[in-house]
Amino acid sequence: MTEAYIYDAVRTPRGKGRKGGALNSVTPIDLAVTALKAVRDRNNLDTSHVDDIVLGCVEPIGEQGADIARVAALHADYAEPVAGVQINRFCASGLEATNMAAAQVMSGQSDMAIGGGVESMSRVPMGASGGAWASDPQVAAHTYFVPQGISADLVATKYGFSRDDVDSYAVESQKRAKQAWDDGRFADSVVPVADINGVNVLDHDEHMRPETTMQTLAALDPSFTVPGEAYGFDSVAIQKYPEVERINHVHHAGNSSGIVDGAAAILLGNKEIGEKLGLKPRAKIRAFASVGSEPTIMLTGPSASAEKVLKRAGMSKQDIDLWELNEAFAAVVLRFMQALDIDHNEINVNGGAIAMGHPLGATGAMILGTLLDEMERCDLNTGLATLCVGAGMGTATVIERV
């Protein structure tokens, strides 16, 4: 099988995903174009060598709809033969898109491809594209549907994480993200977003709240008590998990992922195309895997996908030097560390989505780039990136520096 090498990884900064956020005036297509142009220009890339662009997008509707990858390629002035496809695996879309691009290279069907993702949550709200899972009563009842926040609180309740536990994790995420930015750890991979006049509108992650403390978080009410108790979703979760007598609602805006806008792109190719274009590989894709997990608790897929991808790569947990897991909710990471017995010093060392935000379709590619940057900074060899996924799934990727 052909090796798939990572030649570059870029992302935009994350802008607050609401009106008034710095990227609210920037269309989704322009966010994607920013990432694609950066990949091209940083590598002096003749884009006629790119066979395909695969972009994750969780709400492919309205101005984010249709096939945003192909239209972004055209709008970025990529060569006309460059194809593009949009894919959706909910929160893991950006990583899944990268895995699909890598699979094209590994199978020999593409010499070079770009994976990544885009989401403008300020312009295309979460849930805008609908879907039967939440809206069709028969489907919802059959699958014990609950909103994701209820699932996060169920994880915390079932596995014994208190309000102090999740808040403490959130405070640490903010501290780590601030330290990473202060140290310039993202300087080589974050590309500023400019307006139509070429004026930069954002060059840093806007959602961060480094002043966060346990005291400020303690003042926040849990976000999911009302839907859980008044709308009956707690009862649905307890029907599925009768060992849980009641749901302890511990998650709120301060210990959950932030709603933001952003895009990312990862340049992948085989050895021969890299040599032809004078590109130096940074890492290779060792393996990737996705799994389905129980959909009511929903957010426990990362450990199963990590175990699956490690087995596929012929590796064990001890072979991984650094871990990156999307911080959808604090309890997701706490459970992952508990399940795999991972020390907090080995995972999300630069903070995560609690501090910097989670642009749904792009996050997976963003955390893979962050993982690679940190592996290079600390001279580490192997890393694993993973995300929990809506409807109960997990996606994971193992990379190795070369």
Side-chain angles (χ1 to χ4, degrees):
M1 186 169 60
T2 302
E3 298 280 14
Y5 293 97
I6 299 174
Y7 288 103
D8 201 7
V10 304
R11 72 170 177 92
T12 68
R14 300 165 169 109
K16 292 179 180 178
R18 61 173 186 260
K19 289 184 178 180
L23 298 182
N24 176 238
S25 62
V26 181
T27 63
I29 197 78
D30 284 335
L31 289 175
V33 163
T34 297
L36 292 179
K37 284 184 175 180
V39 164
R40 179 194 65 200
D41 297 345
R42 284 158 56 109
N43 297 283
N44 194 26
L45 182 64
D46 178 352
T47 59
S48 67
H49 294 285
V50 178
D51 293 295
D52 202 5
I53 296 171
V54 188
L55 293 184
C57 181
V58 174
E59 302 296 346
I61 192 171
E63 61 183 355
Q64 217 165 246
D67 183 354
I68 194 170
R70 170 59 176 167
V71 181
L74 295 172
H75 197 40
D77 293 322
Y78 271 50
E80 190 174 275
V82 181
V85 61
Q86 173 269 326
I87 66 100
N88 182 7
R89 197 188 289 279
F90 297 137
C91 297
S93 295
L95 188 60
E96 188 65 52
T98 303
N99 293 343
M100 288 183 176
Q104 292 186 26
V105 174
M106 295 164 80
S107 65
Q109 303 309 302
S110 290
D111 294 321
M112 176 169 279
I114 293 172
V118 59
E119 205 81 32
S120 177
M121 300 182 75
S122 69
R123 298 174 69 98
V124 185
M126 184 165 50
S129 60
W133 192 38
S135 63
D136 186 319
Q138 284 189 310
V139 175
H142 179 71
T143 58
Y144 293 88
F145 166 79
V146 299
Q148 202 166 84
I150 304 296
S151 299
D153 287 339
L154 176 59
V155 170
T157 304
K158 181 174 172 59
Y159 295 105
F161 305 124
S162 67
R163 173 69 182 259
D164 281 351
D165 292 333
V166 291
D167 282 357
S168 178
Y169 181 89
V171 170
E172 182 63 18
S173 178
Q174 296 284 354
K175 288 180 179 178
R176 292 183 178 195
K178 182 181 187 303
Q179 190 66 56
W181 272 101
D182 289 349
D183 291 349
R185 298 180 193 177
F186 302 132
D188 291 337
S189 55
V190 174
V191 295
V193 177
D195 62 18
I196 59 174
N197 299 312
V199 177
N200 286 348
V201 295
L202 189 65
D203 62 3
H204 64 280
D205 289 324
E206 186 183 26
H207 183 267
M208 292 167 52
R209 298 182 294 271
E211 71 283 358
T212 298
T213 65
M214 290 293 288
Q215 289 71 34
T216 60
L217 293 184
L220 300 176
D221 292 330
S223 296
F224 307 106
T225 303
V226 171
E229 296 179 356
Y231 300 162
F233 287 116
D234 281 3
S235 297
V236 175
I238 292 168
Q239 278 186 317
K240 189 68 177 179
Y241 290 87
E243 69 273 21
V244 175
E245 293 184 2
R246 62 179 297 274
I247 306 296
N248 184 22
H249 292 288
V250 298
H251 288 94
H252 49 74
N255 57 33
S256 307
S257 55
I259 293 174
V260 294
D261 306 332
I266 295 180
L267 180 64
L268 302 128
N270 59 32
K271 181 179 180 181
E272 291 72 24
I273 195 68
E275 292 176 344
K276 180 178 180 178
L277 300 179
L279 301 175
K280 182 180 179 181
R282 298 173 60 188
K284 65 179 179 181
I285 305 288
R286 279 287 300 266
F288 46 83
S290 290
V291 300
S293 61
E294 199 287 305
T296 302
I297 204 165
M298 199 182 312
L299 307 172
T300 56
S303 58
S305 63
E307 290 168 345
K308 182 177 180 178
V309 77
L310 287 171
K311 182 177 180 181
R312 182 161 288 166
M315 302 170 73
S316 69
K317 177 175 73 79
Q318 288 71 30
D319 295 319
I320 299 299
D321 297 324
L322 194 64
W323 306 76
E324 195 75 28
L325 169 60
N326 182 40
E327 294 176 350
F329 301 89
V332 172
V333 189
L334 293 175
R335 174 54 188 161
F336 183 81
M337 292 191 292
Q338 181 188 70
L340 294 185
D341 190 22
I342 296 170
D343 190 273
H344 197 182
N345 292 325
E346 299 175 354
I347 186 169
N348 295 0
V349 297
N350 293 315
I354 290 173
M356 294 178 284
H358 173 25
L360 302 175
T363 304
M366 287 184 171
I367 68 169
L368 191 67
T370 297
L371 178 67
L372 178 54
D373 285 345
E374 186 67 12
M375 288 166 60
E376 291 175 338
R377 189 181 76 87
C378 296
D379 195 24
L380 304 175
N381 291 320
T382 57
L384 187 151
T386 183
L387 302 92
C388 59
V389 186
M393 290 184 282
T395 297
T397 304
V398 173
I399 60 174
E400 179 181 354
R401 287 178 61 206
V402 294

